[in-house]
């Protein structure tokens, strides 16, 4: 039951459970007996008859409970289905609030994080969600180091009943007016109601932005484009300055001209790389969502592929015959020959119509390796390239009949 829903999430009314004698309700965490009640402010909740020392729900602070409830209500007010305390099928994460799309699939976890947490732990927990195709937004009340390492919002509670929760940090805009090189340009965090910020995040109107120094915040795509435009103007100004200097130093005109062309080419390359990257990321969006990759993990995975192969690589299309895996083409660096098909990334072993016996199979972790190992029907060579640790290992997999039987005493 969810006390924040009118039908309690199960088609019942509050009157059916509130102060009803003989009714038996159990805590989903510890199995202890709980009762329904409303606070003096009218907030409905459940409390333990005997508080157990090791039950996370029983020992939840009022601040955490109210923030978690506010996140759920804000998501529902924005038109989304949101449920409290939802765990993954594997039990490796449990979201304070889990938001579902219009097809009933979970896509965003809202975490009320008031207890201490290291940046490394925050990234690991965020990656754990990402492996199941779930994004996450961390929400806290204080400035913590982890808030700069993962997508997060810092909020303040309302001072009165008529006021709203307010976002103080984590949602930023690029301030640049007028749009000239002489004008100051900087990222500045904005203040807004928590409900507005969550609505923008859930609708995709803002997205995660990672700064050059690694800091993470939410912003609108338009602001990212402004920052790119500013960088382009600065690069062009630098190129123009180099050209002016070259005119004043005619005796070294050739060298100065080469530097100017190099600066202009850097601008074009940077813009072309960004456009190519955006197109590639959009093309592979479905692949990322299905296999739990985020942008940072995919970049690390790609670097491991290049390092392990020692060759230039290019990603092709998703291959239905190879279990909807992503095809990888390779060629020797500096070679004039064309690319040849060399590997396939994350093939679904249950969707294979053709086993990649002559290709390398590339996977990001040993969970993927186990799936392929269990289903292998032909000899396979699998490379495990873990983007979190940067480690690479190679495994030879043989069909089930060829595997050695387990040792018996």
């Amino acid at each position: 039951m969810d006390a924040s829903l009118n039908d309690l999430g199960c088609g019942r009314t509050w009157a059916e459970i509130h102060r009803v004698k003989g009714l038996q309700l159990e805590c989903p965490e510890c199995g202890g007996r709980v009762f329904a009640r409303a606070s003096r402010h009218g907030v409905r909740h459940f409390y333990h008859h005997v508080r157990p020392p090791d039950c996370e729900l029983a020992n939840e602070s009022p601040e955490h409970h109210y923030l978690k409830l506010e996140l759920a209500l804000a998501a529902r007010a924005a038109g989304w289905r949101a449920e409290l305390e939802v765990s993954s099928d594997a039990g490796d994460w449990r979201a304070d609030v889990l938001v579902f799309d219009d097809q009933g699939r979970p896509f965003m976890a809202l975490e009320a994080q008031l207890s201490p947490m290291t940046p490394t732990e925050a990234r690991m927990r965020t990656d754990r969600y990402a492996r199941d195709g779930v994004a996450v937004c961390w929400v806290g009340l204080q400035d913590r180091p982890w808030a700069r390492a993962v997508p997060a919002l810092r909020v303040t509670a309302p001072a009165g009943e008529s006021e709203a929760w307010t976002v103080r940090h984590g949602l930023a805009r690029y301030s640049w007016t007028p749009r000239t090189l002489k004008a100051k340009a900087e990222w500045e965090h904005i203040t807004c109601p928590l409900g507005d910020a969550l609505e923008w995040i859930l609708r995709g109107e803002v997205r995660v932005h990672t700064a050059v120094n690694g800091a993470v915040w939410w912003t609108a795509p338009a602001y990212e484009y402004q920052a790119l435009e500013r960088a382009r103007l600065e690069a062009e100004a630098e190129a123009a300055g180099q050209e002016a200097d070259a005119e004043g130093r005619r005796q070294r005109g050739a060298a100065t001209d080469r530097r100017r062309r190099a600066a202009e080419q850097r601008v074009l390359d940077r813009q072309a790389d960004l456009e190519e990257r955006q197109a590639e990321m959009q093309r592979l969006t479905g692949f990322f969502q299905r296999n739990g990759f985020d942008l940072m993990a995919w970049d690390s995975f790609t670097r491991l592929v290049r390092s392990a192969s020692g060759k230039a690589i290019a990603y092709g299309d998703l291959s239905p015959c190879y279990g909807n895996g992503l095809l990888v083409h390779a060629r020797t660096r500096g070679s004039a020959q064309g690319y040849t098909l060399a590997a396939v990334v994350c093939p679904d072993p249950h969707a294979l119509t053709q086993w990649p016996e002559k290709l390398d199979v590339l996977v990001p972790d040993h969970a993927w390796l186990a799936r392929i190992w269990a289903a292998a029907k032909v000899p396979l060579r699998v490379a495990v390239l873990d983007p979190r640790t940067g480690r690479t290992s190679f495994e030879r997999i043989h069909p089930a009949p060829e595997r050695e039987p387990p040792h018996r005493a």
Side-chain angles (χ1 to χ4, degrees):
M1 292 183 180
D2 184 347
S4 66
L5 294 172
N6 291 333
D7 66 350
L8 306 181
C10 61
R12 293 182 176 270
T13 65
W14 182 250
E16 291 181 69
I17 65 169
H18 186 220
R19 295 180 176 178
V20 177
K21 293 182 178 181
L23 185 67
Q24 295 286 338
L25 300 177
E26 290 184 357
C27 172
E29 178 74 12
C30 67
R33 189 177 184 185
V34 296
F35 295 91
R37 72 179 175 190
S39 71
R40 58 192 180 93
H41 298 295
V43 178
R44 305 184 311 191
H45 61 281
F46 298 100
Y47 72 96
H48 284 70
H49 179 62
V50 177
R51 175 177 291 183
D54 56 352
C55 178
E56 185 174 341
L57 295 180
N59 295 288
E60 182 181 43
S61 67
E63 293 83 2
H64 185 271
H65 175 75
Y66 291 137
L67 177 53
K68 184 173 65 175
L69 181 61
E70 182 64 26
L71 295 175
L73 294 176
R76 293 165 187 165
W80 302 91
R81 171 190 158 203
E83 296 183 7
L84 298 171
E85 300 295 342
V86 181
S87 299
S88 67
D89 293 338
D92 55 350
W93 54 258
R94 183 176 67 186
D96 286 339
V97 178
L98 192 61
V99 184
F100 299 80
D101 62 17
D102 54 3
Q103 297 183 13
R105 298 171 300 190
F107 76 97
M108 173 71 72
L110 305 177
E111 287 285 353
Q113 185 65 30
L114 305 187
S115 58
M117 179 173 61
T118 66
T120 300
E121 183 182 358
R123 293 189 187 97
M124 289 177 59
R125 293 176 63 182
T126 300
D127 292 342
R128 203 174 298 151
Y129 278 109
R131 288 195 294 270
D132 288 340
V134 177
V136 61
C137 178
W138 300 90
V139 184
L141 298 177
Q142 297 178 337
D143 184 15
R144 303 288 190 184
W146 57 260
R148 289 178 285 278
V150 292
L153 298 174
R154 188 169 79 239
V155 301
T156 55
E161 294 184 11
S162 61
E163 299 182 15
W165 289 77
T166 304
V167 174
R168 299 294 182 186
H169 194 275
L171 192 66
R173 64 187 172 198
Y174 193 68
S175 178
W176 179 26
T177 305
R179 294 188 184 181
T180 64
L181 281 177
K182 293 183 179 181
K184 184 179 180 181
E186 62 181 353
W187 288 97
E188 58 182 24
H189 290 268
I190 64 174
T191 299
C192 69
L194 175 59
D196 291 347
L198 290 181
E199 183 174 0
W200 299 334
I201 291 172
L202 294 174
R203 289 185 178 179
E205 296 176 6
V206 297
R207 62 190 183 190
V208 177
H209 173 83
T210 304
V212 176
N213 63 359
V216 178
W217 57 74
W218 298 93
T219 193
Y223 293 128
E224 291 185 312
Y225 296 145
Q226 287 184 26
L228 176 62
E229 175 67 12
R230 172 76 183 210
R232 187 182 68 81
L233 290 179
E234 290 175 347
E236 289 179 348
E238 178 186 358
Q242 291 176 349
E243 185 176 0
D245 290 342
E247 288 295 327
R249 299 189 299 269
R250 288 192 177 95
Q251 65 275 22
R252 294 181 293 171
T256 304
D257 188 54
R258 286 195 298 270
R259 288 196 298 271
R260 176 182 60 82
R261 289 198 302 268
E264 293 174 346
Q265 188 60 47
R266 284 197 300 273
V267 175
L268 296 175
D269 290 345
R270 189 183 307 168
Q271 188 169 357
D273 289 345
L274 179 60
E275 293 175 353
E276 181 179 354
R277 180 181 178 81
Q278 290 174 339
E280 183 75 355
M281 293 305 101
Q282 184 175 5
R283 182 176 74 89
L284 299 178
T285 296
F287 176 77
F288 291 161
Q289 292 176 346
R290 177 168 62 85
N291 297 297
F293 279 108
D294 60 20
L295 189 58
M296 295 176 61
W298 182 246
D299 289 343
S300 300
F301 184 83
T302 298
R303 286 194 294 270
L304 291 174
V305 175
R306 293 194 178 103
S307 176
S309 67
K311 298 180 178 181
I313 66 166
Y315 292 114
D317 298 325
L318 298 179
S319 174
C321 69
Y322 288 132
N324 294 318
L326 181 64
L327 299 180
V328 181
H329 303 271
R331 72 174 182 186
T332 304
R333 290 192 176 99
S335 172
Q337 298 179 353
Y339 284 89
T340 58
L341 182 60
V344 58
V345 181
C346 295
D348 182 355
H350 301 293
L352 287 167
T353 59
Q354 180 178 346
W355 283 88
E357 186 173 2
K358 297 182 179 180
L359 303 177
D360 286 339
V361 178
L362 310 181
V363 296
D365 53 45
H366 284 80
W368 264 101
L369 175 64
R371 291 177 58 191
I372 295 175
W373 184 91
K377 296 181 179 179
V378 298
L380 296 174
R381 183 173 183 266
V382 181
V384 181
L385 307 109
D386 193 330
R388 296 168 300 172
T389 63
R391 295 180 180 177
T392 300
S393 61
F394 297 87
E395 303 287 345
R396 288 284 185 179
I397 293 179
H398 298 282
E402 299 181 12
R403 296 177 188 152
E404 296 182 2
H407 175 72
R408 297 185 182 275

